[in-house]
Amino acid sequence: MESADGQRGLDGGSQRRSPLDVIMSQIRRKRSASDRKPLGRFLSRTLSQTGIPENGESEGKENRGQSPGVAAAAESECHIGWGRVCVFLQKLGKKADSRSLSLAHGDLTATDLLELATLLHFLPQLEELDVSWNELIGGSLTALTTHLQHVVGIKMLRICSCRLNADDITALGEGLSYVPLLEILDLSWNSGVGGGALQSLLGRIHPPLRELHLVACQLTAADATALGRMVAVLPRLCVLDVSCNPRLTQEGDAGGFTDLAASLPQTVSLTTLRLQACGLTADCLDALGGSLRCLPSMRELDLSCNKHLSGGLSSHAVHLAHLTHLESLDLHLCCLTHADLEALIQVLPSLTALTVLDVSSNKEAGGVVHPLVSALPLTQMRRLPLNSCSLNEESLTALALAVPYLRSVDVSWCKVVGGRLALLLDALQPSVIVELRLSSCELTSDDLHHLAAVCRRGCLSSLQVLDLSYNGSVGDDGWSALFAAGGLDSLEDADLSLRPLTSAPCSAWLPSLLCALPRMPVLARLAMQRWTAGSQERQQLNYSMKNRSIQLEWDPDITDSACKMTNQERPEESQPEE
């Protein structure tokens, strides 16, 4: 009893503590609360959910020899820093990842770029950084590049279409010295890279670089010379893309390009060379040809959209024979002559690894399809587009020999296909083709009935892209038959649009399309431009599209009573420019 009473006496005495005891008790409680570190626990949960850098653990191991207070402070700083990164990215609507940071199309301002730069030291494991398509950061790149020493392990840097100027490129050159492991550099769509600014990168890019993209950078002949000096010291370079730089051979001067071509043998690992729309001439092809024999690893060569190559391939195609591992050759829209194509056909048997050959938009190609197909390694061919090639019935029959192996068939803008589509469709093998483009082929209702029959047989079960646009001559029964057939389970993109300045009602076959939609589970885009329908029918289709999140391209507020034109009233369509 005494002990119990004594205990109660002690408890009661605790209520009558001195002021000093009260103060000391408050201090102890505050210290206990700080030890619990609720903010640290909150950020720890955030880190575990958003990809916290793992270096927090390694830092803890490295700091074992330090006092507990110092280690705790370092860990707390890491957590708080990553929390700032997460808040910054959340503000921009982006996801946090300690290894990959994509801020493309983020409407970044110069202030945002500066804030990003100050956060880089919280991202020591960053490997990929993409700030492309943010035009407001042009002229302020130095804010970012001066902090690149905090991300020395970065391997990919993309700064496309940011309106970079010469000062930005100079700042970038200085910053690249901090990232010795960089493998991919993409500065495409920045006109400020050209005009001499490219020289600021000379000697700044380290040998591990594997890809260099400079598309549409307004490069000049002088820049081509500087680029040649740059790639000559990049032995691991695999991809070089300088497409859409028409001033590369300014005023027919191939001197700069000759310097670039002469340096290519130093890039023994080069697998992809893209020179689309660079103003290349026959002289350029001659300079390039001498280097091709030293590039045994080449897999992809793009010389497309260089109209001044016309007539040059006939004497320089022989150089292509050295590219025995070439898988893709693009020569579309090069105004190739009959002699050019004959020279190419002579070389094709040497290109035993070829899977893609693009000679589309070359009118003369329509007359050599048979020898072209005969020279190709058909069993491994995947793409042979012949759109806008002035095909005739004989060439269409020859193309049918390659169709069983092709994953993509494109004969758009070839009128001869109309009424003869069966020649190609009957050659299809089940579950092989993934892309079928028949735009502006003057297809008939019978053609679509035949297409429907092929669908029912399951030959198009793997088809992902179907382009039937600009075929207003097809009757309502043809469209209805196609959609009623089924067999398009893999279709993702369908284009049924009519050509500009025309319109026609779709009320007769729209119910068939609506019934077919559930049998197209992965359809993501449906283009029906210039087809007209009543308001109730439009509502039904719009509802079906929104229910499935399908992108519908349909002219608004056009009804059956608006702007009807007969086939005789419709203007003649023009071929795409060649």
Side-chain angles (χ1 to χ4, degrees):
M1 291 293 293
E2 288 183 5
S3 61
D5 293 339
Q7 183 65 38
R8 282 195 299 271
L10 291 173
D11 293 339
S14 66
Q15 297 175 4
R16 297 187 295 273
R17 292 177 295 177
S18 67
L20 179 61
D21 291 333
V22 174
I23 293 173
M24 294 301 295
S25 177
Q26 290 176 348
I27 292 175
R28 283 193 294 271
R29 282 199 301 271
K30 288 182 178 179
R31 182 175 300 169
S32 175
S34 65
D35 289 343
R36 289 195 292 269
K37 294 188 289 188
L39 178 61
R41 288 206 307 274
F42 168 75
L43 289 178
S44 295
R45 290 195 296 271
T46 303
L47 296 171
S48 64
Q49 295 170 2
T50 56
I52 177 175
E54 298 174 358
N55 64 317
E57 298 179 1
S58 61
E59 286 181 1
K61 295 177 182 178
E62 294 172 359
N63 294 331
R64 284 177 181 172
Q66 300 177 353
S67 65
V70 174
E75 182 180 358
S76 177
E77 182 183 1
C78 175
H79 289 177
I80 294 173
W82 178 249
R84 287 177 56 194
V85 172
C86 294
V87 171
F88 172 72
L89 294 175
Q90 185 177 14
K91 178 182 67 175
L92 298 173
K94 303 294 184 178
K95 293 183 179 180
D97 189 327
S98 63
R99 296 184 182 274
S100 179
L101 201 58
S102 177
L103 299 174
H105 301 280
D107 294 325
L108 295 184
T109 64
T111 303
D112 294 326
L113 193 67
L114 180 59
E115 184 177 356
L116 170 63
T118 61
L119 296 174
L120 287 183
H121 72 281
F122 297 120
L123 297 167
Q125 290 188 321
L126 191 66
E127 295 182 356
E128 300 179 357
L129 177 59
D130 187 350
V131 293
S132 300
W133 306 100
N134 289 291
E135 296 186 345
L136 296 179
I137 67 175
S140 58
L141 194 63
T142 184
L144 178 68
T145 57
T146 52
H147 290 76
L148 288 180
Q149 69 267 26
H150 299 299
V151 285
V152 295
I154 196 167
K155 296 180 179 179
M156 185 197 79
L157 181 59
R158 297 189 187 277
I159 319 177
C160 307
S161 190
C162 290
R163 292 192 176 181
L164 302 184
N165 57 31
D167 292 338
D168 291 325
I169 304 305
T170 299
L172 177 62
E174 296 172 355
L176 289 179
S177 60
Y178 298 124
V179 285
L181 302 180
L182 189 66
E183 296 181 358
I184 300 175
L185 178 61
D186 192 345
L187 303 176
S188 299
W189 305 100
N190 287 294
S191 58
V193 175
L198 188 65
Q199 297 190 33
S200 301
L201 302 183
L202 284 175
R204 305 285 187 166
I205 301 179
H206 297 272
L209 194 75
R210 296 176 56 251
E211 296 187 19
L212 180 59
H213 301 267
L214 298 170
V215 178
C217 286
Q218 293 294 316
L219 300 183
T220 64
D223 293 320
T225 300
L227 182 60
R229 293 169 55 194
M230 188 185 305
V231 301
V233 294
L234 299 174
R236 300 182 189 176
L237 191 67
C238 296
V239 177
L240 177 60
D241 190 350
V242 292
S243 299
C244 304
N245 285 288
R247 298 169 60 199
L248 207 61
T249 54
Q250 196 170 13
E251 298 179 355
D253 179 15
F257 182 82
T258 300
D259 295 336
L260 172 59
S263 67
L264 292 180
Q266 307 300 319
T267 59
V268 292
S269 300
L270 195 65
T271 61
T272 301
L273 179 60
R274 301 187 184 122
L275 298 167
Q276 182 188 83
C278 284
L280 302 186
T281 63
D283 290 339
C284 296
L285 201 59
D286 184 33
L288 180 62
S291 299
L292 293 182
R293 66 178 68 245
C294 303
L295 299 173
S297 300
M298 184 74 71
R299 298 291 190 275
E300 177 186 343
L301 179 60
D302 186 352
L303 301 174
S304 62
C305 303
N306 287 290
K307 296 183 179 181
H308 295 297
L309 288 182
S310 178
L313 198 63
S314 59
S315 55
H316 301 300
V318 64
H319 297 300
L320 296 175
H322 299 289
L323 304 179
T324 55
H325 293 93
L326 192 67
E327 298 174 359
S328 175
L329 177 60
D330 193 343
L331 293 166
H332 84 266
L333 198 59
C334 285
C335 294
L336 299 182
T337 64
H338 187 81
D340 289 330
L341 291 163
E342 286 186 332
L344 175 64
I345 291 170
Q346 295 299 317
V347 173
L348 288 180
S350 301
L351 307 181
T352 56
L354 200 66
T355 61
V356 176
L357 175 62
D358 191 346
V359 291
S360 62
S361 297
N362 289 288
K363 288 186 177 181
E364 294 294 330
V368 296
V369 175
H370 189 276
L372 186 72
V373 169
S374 300
L376 288 170
L378 286 184
T379 57
Q380 63 192 38
M381 291 299 297
R382 295 297 175 262
R383 292 189 67 245
L384 181 62
L386 291 172
N387 50 292
S388 301
C389 283
S390 299
L391 299 182
N392 53 40
E393 187 171 356
E394 180 183 353
S395 54
L396 198 64
T397 303
L399 177 60
L401 299 175
V403 165
Y405 310 102
L406 300 178
R407 295 179 61 83
S408 173
V409 174
D410 187 351
V411 289
S412 297
W413 300 91
C414 294
K415 309 302 182 187
V416 70
V417 178
R420 301 178 179 84
L421 186 59
L423 287 174
L424 300 180
L425 296 181
D426 290 342
L428 291 175
Q429 294 297 311
S431 304
V432 173
I433 189 171
V434 297
E435 184 178 71
L436 180 59
R437 297 188 180 276
L438 302 167
S439 177
S440 191
C441 287
E442 292 190 356
L443 299 182
T444 65
S445 295
D446 288 342
D447 289 325
L448 258 65
H449 277 286
H450 206 97
L451 183 59
V454 172
C455 289
R456 284 192 293 269
R457 293 202 302 267
C459 290
L460 300 180
S461 59
S462 298
L463 192 69
Q464 298 174 7
V465 178
L466 177 61
D467 186 356
L468 297 173
S469 61
Y470 297 9
N471 285 291
S473 52
V474 175
D476 293 335
D477 60 317
W479 296 113
S480 298
L482 174 63
F483 296 124
L488 296 172
D489 300 348
S490 301
L491 191 64
E492 300 176 5
D493 188 303
D495 194 341
L496 316 176
S497 301
L498 297 174
R499 64 181 183 267
L501 303 179
T502 67
S503 65
C506 62
S507 302
W509 52 266
L510 190 58
S512 298
L513 172 60
L514 291 171
C515 291
L517 287 177
R519 301 195 300 272
M520 303 177 190
V522 295
L523 186 66
R525 173 182 174 268
L526 175 62
M528 294 180 54
Q529 292 177 340
R530 292 169 287 281
W531 285 105
T532 63
S535 58
Q536 185 175 359
E537 293 167 329
R538 293 180 68 88
Q539 289 177 3
Q540 289 179 337
L541 184 58
N542 284 328
Y543 177 77
S544 299
M545 298 294 106
K546 290 180 179 178
N547 240 10
R548 292 264 306 276
S549 298
I550 299 174
Q551 177 186 347
L552 176 62
E553 297 179 10
W554 202 3
D555 300 310
D557 301 325
I558 297 180
T559 61
D560 283 338
S561 59
C563 303
K564 290 185 180 178
M565 299 178 65
T566 64
N567 289 336
Q568 290 79 13
E569 294 172 325
R570 293 172 184 170
E572 289 296 323
E573 59 187 315
S574 58
Q575 290 275 4
E577 182 184 358
E578 296 189 3

